[in-house]
Amino acid sequence: MADSLAAAVAAVQSLIGDRADAWDLARLIPVPLLRELGAAGLLCAQVPTGYGGLGLTSLLGGELTAETGRLCSSVRSVQTSHGIAAWTIQRFGTPEQRHAWLHRLTGGELAAVGFSEPGAGSDLAGMTTTIRRDRDEVVVDGHKAWMTAGHYADLLVLFCRYEGGAAAVVAPAATPGVQVRRIADPLGCRAAGHADVRLDSVRLPADHVLGGVGLPLPLLVTTALAYGRMSVAWGCVGILRACLAAASRHAASREQFGKPIGQHQLVAGHLADLLVAEQVATRVCEHAGRCWDAGSADQVIATVLAKQVSAGQAARAASTAVQVLASAGARDGQVVARAYRDAKLMEIIEGSNEMCRLMLAEHALTLATEEGQ
Ligand code: FAD
């Protein structure tokens, strides 16, 4: 398994290389490269080998995500969306659906996921996109907002109202009635291809509804988002590693007042903070990854904790790293400037800071109640 991770990391390094800043400036990742990453199983590395994936554990898949995030948060964002799509199919699809769709996701087709809507962000209970059954077809109507990788995706996994509950449906992006509109100027992860998607009477075969039946919305979205949170948390570890390396390199080489700035204690303090941030985030992610791999009951809350800690650490650390590089990091095309913009978004997505804090507080109250019994 460790060999599979080493090979996957080497493949990601060779495919992404040092091109993240160029893609960020162009606001585009070359699609053939994304397809190559997908066909090598690198966008959903935890999918079992029987479906063409690499079968990595959560912990090792996390390390691969961190390395992707270290190199390029836009590619990592595409990887997160694609991975959520695969995980949703794996968890909620029938054996036939898993066979049909997962092979496509490990064969070079690209996927994006749609939970959010203009009126339903933090509160997904406000979702209004519907799937309606019509004999052996279903009809999807609604509007999904901010779908990461929506601009690149061949397949859209859409979370919708269905039969008194909810369901995820797989919609090929080329289906009549699907309109993908790219978001032109996102604050960060600028090459991740965010898009708003309108769905007007989109007709699909009924067997595109995963599992075929309505499920409770909280079960569906919590399961899917848990994968996304884990992926984002590891992506933040990658951002932290990139910031730590860039700031340390600069502090060792840039001289002011007759010595490297890293020897001025206030700058040295920034480097210590960056190292602490990277280590803390790594440890909480490793803990959560072990919970996933052990199938522990703590998996969900450990994941929320990992996302909350890592996103906060990444946002603060990226700001610190810009401070260390100062003018050398204060423009587009600089790794810390990109990290600064990308990291901020990590505090918004897959459950904002506030929503994660509310979940953690609820957990704390549950623990207190259990201890009191
Ligand atoms: P709102 O829900 O309007 O919240 C605004 C503010 O109020 C936030 O600070 C929030 O934390 C706070 N708030 C809201 N309710 C409460 C409360 N009860 N208590 C305390 N604070 C509260 N969506 C997808 O479906 N698929 C994607 O691939 C995807 N990718 C994204 C990529 C990016 C870069 C961005 C920016 C967004 C993406 N989203 C995606 C949407 C994302 O999930 C939402 O932006 C997020 O859930 C927050 O929703 P909102 O933006 O509508 O903010």
Side-chain angles (χ1 to χ4, degrees), residues 44 53 63 66 84 94 105 108 121 142 149 240 256 270 297 313 324 348 367:
C44 50
E63 275 297 341
I84 300 174
T94 61
L105 295 191
L240 283 158
Q256 287 293 281
H270 288 322
Q313 293 288 357
V324 171
I348 297 172
L367 289 180

Side-chain angles (χ1 to χ4, degrees), residues 236-248:
C236 290
V237 169
I239 291 175
L240 283 158
R241 291 177 183 169
C243 287
L244 175 62
S248 302

Side-chain angles (χ1 to χ4, degrees), residues 38-62:
L42 298 167
L43 296 180
C44 50
Q46 287 155 244
V47 167
T49 50
Y51 297 113
L54 303 180
L56 293 188
T57 61
S58 178
L59 193 55
L60 296 183

Side-chain angles (χ1 to χ4, degrees), residues 8 18 31 42 48 61 75 89 91 94 107 121 137 145 172 183-184 195 239 246 253 264 283 293 357 362-363 370:
D18 61 1
V31 173
L42 298 167
V75 174
I89 291 164
R91 281 300 309 274
T94 61
E137 289 186 325
I183 294 169
I239 291 175
S253 61
H264 296 297
R283 297 289 95 81
D293 290 332
R357 287 180 79 195
E362 195 180 326
H363 181 66
E370 283 169 5

Side-chain angles (χ1 to χ4, degrees), residues 81 113-117 120-123 145-148 188 194 345 348-355 358:
S81 298
V113 285
F115 305 92
S116 309
E117 298 179 3
S122 300
D123 182 12
W146 275 95
M147 288 181 67
T148 300
H194 307 105
L345 296 180
I348 297 172
I349 60 170
E350 310 294 339
S352 64
N353 270 2
E354 289 78 10
M355 300 318 291
L358 288 174

Side-chain angles (χ1 to χ4, degrees), residues 87-361:
W87 174 243
T88 304
I89 291 164
Q90 215 177 307
R91 281 300 309 274
F92 296 108
T94 61
E96 295 74 27
Q97 288 172 327
R98 287 201 287 270
H99 187 78
W101 298 116
L102 289 176
H103 280 292
R104 291 173 69 167
L105 295 191
T106 55
E109 289 189 57
L110 302 168
V113 285
F115 305 92
S116 309
E117 298 179 3
S122 300
D123 182 12
L124 289 175
M127 189 183 280
T128 58
T129 300
T130 54
I131 304 169
R132 179 173 54 81
R133 184 86 196 219
D134 184 16
R135 288 185 292 267
D136 55 354
E137 289 186 325
V138 289
V139 185
V140 185
D141 277 288
H143 187 173
K144 290 293 174 186
W146 275 95
M147 288 181 67
T148 300
H151 173 71
Y152 302 117
D154 305 291
L155 300 173
L156 309 174
V157 174
L158 305 165
F159 293 78
C160 310
R161 298 269 165 207
Y162 184 53
E163 291 186 341
V169 65
V170 185
T175 312
V178 176
Q179 256 184 68
V180 178
R181 226 171 96 201
R182 183 151 191 197
I183 294 169
D185 289 306
L187 170 69
C189 301
R190 286 178 176 165
H194 307 105
D196 290 331
V197 177
R198 289 204 69 90
L199 305 147
D200 292 314
S201 301
V202 177
R203 285 194 166 270
L204 299 165
D207 66 4
H208 286 215
V209 177
L210 296 177
V213 291
L215 295 168
L217 179 71
L219 167 74
L220 192 66
V221 296
T222 304
T223 304
L225 284 176
Y227 182 98
R229 287 186 184 129
M230 200 65 252
S231 180
V232 166
W234 278 110
C236 290
V237 169
I239 291 175
L240 283 158
R241 291 177 183 169
C243 287
L244 175 62
S248 302
R249 258 196 319 270
H250 187 75
S253 61
R254 168 76 172 167
E255 294 196 1
Q256 287 293 281
F257 300 96
K259 58 183 178 183
I261 57 169
Q263 289 180 22
H264 296 297
Q265 288 183 341
L266 293 179
V267 178
H270 288 322
L271 300 183
D273 290 347
L274 285 166
L275 182 62
V276 168
E278 186 274 329
Q279 286 291 304
V280 166
T282 300
R283 297 289 95 81
V284 286
C285 286
E286 286 174 349
H287 171 68
R290 287 198 187 93
C291 286
W292 278 70
D293 290 332
S296 150
D298 287 339
Q299 173 179 324
V300 169
I301 198 68
T303 302
V304 174
L305 184 69
K307 195 274 175 180
Q308 172 73 1
V309 169
S310 305
Q313 293 288 357
R316 283 191 294 280
S319 167
T320 301
V322 172
Q323 194 67 23
V324 171
L325 273 85
S327 62
R331 60 192 159 90
D332 276 352
Q334 297 295 324
V335 65
V336 294
R338 177 164 47 84
Y340 183 71
R341 290 185 281 97
D342 295 346
K344 181 59 208 167
L345 296 180
M346 302 306 116
E347 295 193 303
I348 297 172
I349 60 170
E350 310 294 339
S352 64
N353 270 2
E354 289 78 10
M355 300 318 291
C356 288
R357 287 180 79 195
L358 288 174
M359 286 183 256
L360 292 169

